[in-house]
Amino acid sequence: MPELPEVEIVRRGLQLHITGRTIDSVQLLHPRVVRRHLPGPDDFAAAIRGRVITGARRRGKYLWLPVGEDAVLAHLGMSGQLLVGDPARPLSAHVRARFTFRDAGPDLRFTDQRTFGHLAIAPGGAVLPAAISHIAPDPLEPDFDLTALTARIRARRTGIKRALLDQSLVSGIGNIYADEALWHARLHWARPSETLTRGEVARLLAAVQQVFSDALDAGGTSFDSLYVNVNGQSGYFERSLAVYGRAGQPCRRCGSVIRRDAFMNRSSFSCPKCQPRPRRARW
Ligand SMILES: [Zn+2]
């Protein structure tokens, strides 16, 4: 799954390459891509023909392109890509939707191998589409409220990593960046969230922001070739990962052997010395 930095990198590419351009046509090569647009594919295509894209916005892992007061809402799912390029290049088998522009410049293609991603029109959704208004602000948004989030995390009765992954508390943090931030903040993933001090939560959220910011600088993390920017290039942040995927290797801070624990059908990676297991654990 792409996480927030990877989606933010796609947003920046869209902002740069398609803002201010008028949509000429939309070809839907696989109707499943607009399955959440209930009036159907023809309505989708007709509704955005001739509209001007005025920017590219994001909340959590959702992206939207404002067109007038409405928006085109996109979610990349497991394997979706939004690619901008020469309109004459061949269409790959995984292209689900293709947007062309009146200026005959680079086109925009939504490709998706596993078809979990989707596109929809959000009426009146230019500022924030109603379908995603329940999603909490993420740590890269300017109006992210650190004090309020600290209080909400400490009021939970759950493990701290589970709280970080809870999209109704804070959006956009997935398994990789949760493990990285917990290592930077020297906190074990199973610490009961109500036992964290305000200072510990502040340290953890600062670590989340730092890890995201470092990942953005590196162009994101690419565990397979699917997570790419709008030009099809992958990032290299995985070289900087401190714990995620490093079981059995030495901690970059203290040299102890990184451990892997089973967690919610996935894994948690941590350092036994920097992140001591709490006497009472929750997960
Ligand atoms: Zn360590």
Side-chain angles (χ1 to χ4, degrees), residues 112-261:
D112 196 0
Q113 286 189 19
R114 284 175 260 181
T115 71
F116 291 119
H118 65 92
L119 298 172
I121 293 175
V127 175
L128 180 63
I132 59 168
S133 59
H134 64 284
I135 298 175
D138 65 59
L140 294 177
E141 288 187 63
D143 54 354
F144 178 66
D145 186 343
L146 201 79
T147 312
L149 180 59
T150 301
R152 293 185 69 198
I153 285 177
R154 296 179 70 234
R156 287 287 164 115
R157 295 285 180 271
T158 185
I160 185 58
K161 181 171 175 183
R162 199 179 265 268
L164 284 183
L165 299 179
D166 182 343
Q167 304 294 302
S168 69
L169 270 178
V170 51
S171 69
I173 306 175
N175 207 36
I176 298 172
Y177 294 107
D179 279 2
E180 292 297 301
L182 286 161
W183 179 83
H184 282 280
R186 300 174 190 243
L187 294 170
H188 189 273
W189 56 270
R191 274 282 299 278
S193 54
E194 74 273 21
T195 68
L196 294 175
T197 64
R198 262 186 212 92
E200 284 174 325
V201 177
R203 198 166 82 212
L204 177 60
L205 296 176
V208 169
Q209 288 175 314
Q210 187 60 52
V211 168
F212 277 167
S213 155
D214 292 345
L216 286 173
D217 289 344
T221 302
S222 300
F223 281 94
D224 60 40
S225 58
L226 292 172
Y227 311 146
V228 294
N229 68 14
V230 297
N231 306 118
Q233 298 149 338
S234 37
Y236 50 86
F237 187 67
E238 63 271 24
R239 292 180 209 158
S240 312
L241 292 174
V243 281
Y244 187 86
R246 296 192 65 242
Q249 296 179 51
C251 170
R252 296 194 197 280
R253 196 158 43 207
C254 74
S256 304
V257 177
I258 299 298
R259 67 187 161 198
R260 185 183 74 82
D261 299 305

Side-chain angles (χ1 to χ4, degrees), residues 52-100:
V52 179
I53 295 176
T54 55
R57 306 192 65 175
R58 181 189 55 73
R59 172 160 286 186
K61 295 188 212 169
Y62 280 89
L63 291 162
W64 70 97
L65 303 172
V67 287
E69 292 181 352
D70 308 323
V72 179
L73 180 64
H75 194 281
L76 302 177
M78 302 285 285
S79 58
Q81 302 174 334
L82 284 162
L83 299 168
V84 176
D86 183 345
R89 70 196 190 284
L91 273 182
S92 88
H94 300 301
V95 177
R96 307 301 177 197
R98 174 176 180 244
F99 297 71
T100 61

